[in-house]
Amino acid sequence: MWAIKRSNCFHESGGNNPCHMSSNPYMILFGVMEIFLSQIPDFDQIWWLSIVAAVMSFTYSAIGLALGIVQVAANGAFKGSLTGISIGTVTQTQKIWRSFQALGDIAFAYSYSVILIEIQDTLKSPPAESKTMKKAAKLSIAVTTAFYMLCGCMGYAAFGDFAPGNLLTGFGFYNPFWLLDIANAAIVVHLVGAYQKQVAESWPDSYFLGKEFKIPFPGLLPYKLNLFRLVWRSCFVILTTVISMLLPFFNDVVGILGALGFWPLTVYFPVEMYIAQKKITKWSTRWMCLQMLSMACLVLSIIAGAGSIVGVVNDVKAYTPFKTTY
């Protein structure tokens, strides 16, 4: 939302106005919107939400990729190099930490693994859910890898050492401003359904957790108000909104989240479940290979987390909470 406002400001001023503004009002507005949406019962079970999210994701990614290709064509050459950002633009140490952070950003792209079992639980059979899920996982990995590698590579080829951390909100591109607005609006729509939590099933006899009050609405079905949902989801949204305002650093925070979730959820638990299911003999060749894969990914997660934390620390040094404008 902030990027849309700033893009329009650049366009109206012809690029003469730096258009410095705070993103805090937009974070607060988004948080308020999420509080209302989070009170919708079973919001995460609405089937068409997944379709909307997928369409929005492809929309803003395709726009970013297309703009990168157009910029490269306008430049007449690829910027950057195979070894990454030049020493001088950053120091050797900074380059190493940024490389580690980039690994966390890449790992974050595969965070869908945390909802694989939930998705499988909703599939109809026959065919067997596991067979359908295996095909879906292979396809999603292939598409995710190809699409986002293209986006990242073309963005770097377009701007080289000065490529922004986020092509759409970092203002590598300024025109066509209306296309950027569409891409950023797609991001907002994609993220709108992000705050859905449900734990009432664990304590079915609790008045606070399970009791629902029916509130009638003329011409509509009565709304089922749950006290726990009202309190917990509202507090959750408020907390995450405040954290976002305190740490508005896109790449660094994404890198930390990617590093935290990649090894345990995407590698370790699936590998251990596979070993147990297939009854793979300990110290066998297959067991050793799987353990080596797991350990390699653990090291990857550790260095990615370290690089991202260093990035946040460096950002905080030049940031005043709730006051900094961009």
Side-chain angles (χ1 to χ4, degrees), residues 39-53:
Q39 301 308 313
I40 300 176
D42 300 324
F43 189 70
D44 57 316
Q45 299 298 318
I46 301 175
W47 64 270
W48 49 264
L49 279 179
S50 294
I51 297 176
V52 171

Side-chain angles (χ1 to χ4, degrees), residues 108-278:
F108 185 78
Y110 297 92
S111 60
Y112 67 89
S113 59
V114 300
I115 60 169
L116 283 179
I117 295 181
E118 289 187 38
I119 294 173
Q120 183 168 320
D121 191 47
T122 66
L123 298 178
K124 295 180 180 180
S125 60
E129 295 91 335
S130 59
K131 291 183 178 179
T132 302
M133 207 64 207
K134 184 178 289 186
K135 292 180 181 178
K138 288 180 179 178
L139 179 61
S140 64
I141 290 172
V143 172
T144 298
T145 301
F147 214 71
Y148 287 110
M149 283 296 289
L150 280 172
C151 287
C153 290
M154 291 311 300
Y156 180 59
F159 300 105
D161 289 352
F162 301 100
N166 186 324
L167 288 176
L168 297 174
T169 62
F171 291 94
F173 306 109
Y174 292 94
N175 287 298
F177 79 100
W178 56 268
L179 192 59
L180 287 172
D181 288 352
I182 291 175
N184 284 305
I187 295 175
V188 175
V189 174
H190 186 186
L191 298 179
V192 143
Y195 298 88
Q196 304 306 320
K197 301 290 172 181
Q198 183 175 351
V199 296
E201 292 180 359
S202 302
W203 295 277
D205 298 324
S206 171
Y207 181 87
F208 180 65
L209 295 179
K211 180 65 176 178
E212 291 185 338
F213 302 91
K214 292 185 178 180
I215 301 176
F217 284 94
L220 299 172
L221 294 174
Y223 172 73
K224 297 178 181 179
L225 174 66
N226 176 270
L227 293 177
F228 177 75
R229 182 170 63 234
L230 177 64
V231 174
W232 169 250
R233 292 188 180 181
S234 298
C235 290
F236 180 80
V237 173
I238 292 170
L239 176 62
T240 53
T241 301
V242 172
I243 292 174
S244 298
M245 294 167 66
L246 284 171
L247 301 172
F249 315 125
F250 180 77
N251 277 12
D252 300 322
V253 174
V254 164
I256 291 174
L257 295 176
L260 288 175
F262 179 68
W263 179 72
L265 300 176
T266 306
V267 181
Y268 175 75
F269 285 118
V271 164
E272 292 302 313
M273 287 189 286
Y274 177 78
I275 291 173
Q277 184 188 50
K278 298 296 183 180

Side-chain angles (χ1 to χ4, degrees), residues 256-316:
I256 291 174
L257 295 176
L260 288 175
F262 179 68
W263 179 72
L265 300 176
T266 306
V267 181
Y268 175 75
F269 285 118
V271 164
E272 292 302 313
M273 287 189 286
Y274 177 78
I275 291 173
Q277 184 188 50
K278 298 296 183 180
K279 297 181 173 60
I280 298 174
T281 305
K282 195 172 184 179
W283 304 114
S284 65
T285 301
R286 178 178 291 186
W287 185 91
M288 289 291 292
C289 289
L290 289 170
Q291 295 301 329
M292 288 169 59
L293 170 66
S294 182
M295 289 300 100
C297 291
L298 172 60
V299 172
L300 178 70
S301 292
I302 291 173
I303 63 177
S308 299
I309 290 171
V310 169
V312 169
V313 171
N314 290 333
D315 288 334
V316 168

Side-chain angles (χ1 to χ4, degrees), residues 7-44:
S7 173
N8 292 338
C9 173
F10 276 128
H11 176 72
E12 291 169 0
S13 67
N16 296 321
N17 186 346
C19 297
H20 293 303
M21 57 185 69
S22 173
S23 59
N24 288 335
Y26 301 100
M27 292 187 188
I28 294 172
L29 177 61
F30 190 83
V32 170
M33 179 170 57
E34 286 293 344
I35 288 177
F36 283 102
L37 291 176
S38 68
Q39 301 308 313
I40 300 176
D42 300 324
F43 189 70
D44 57 316

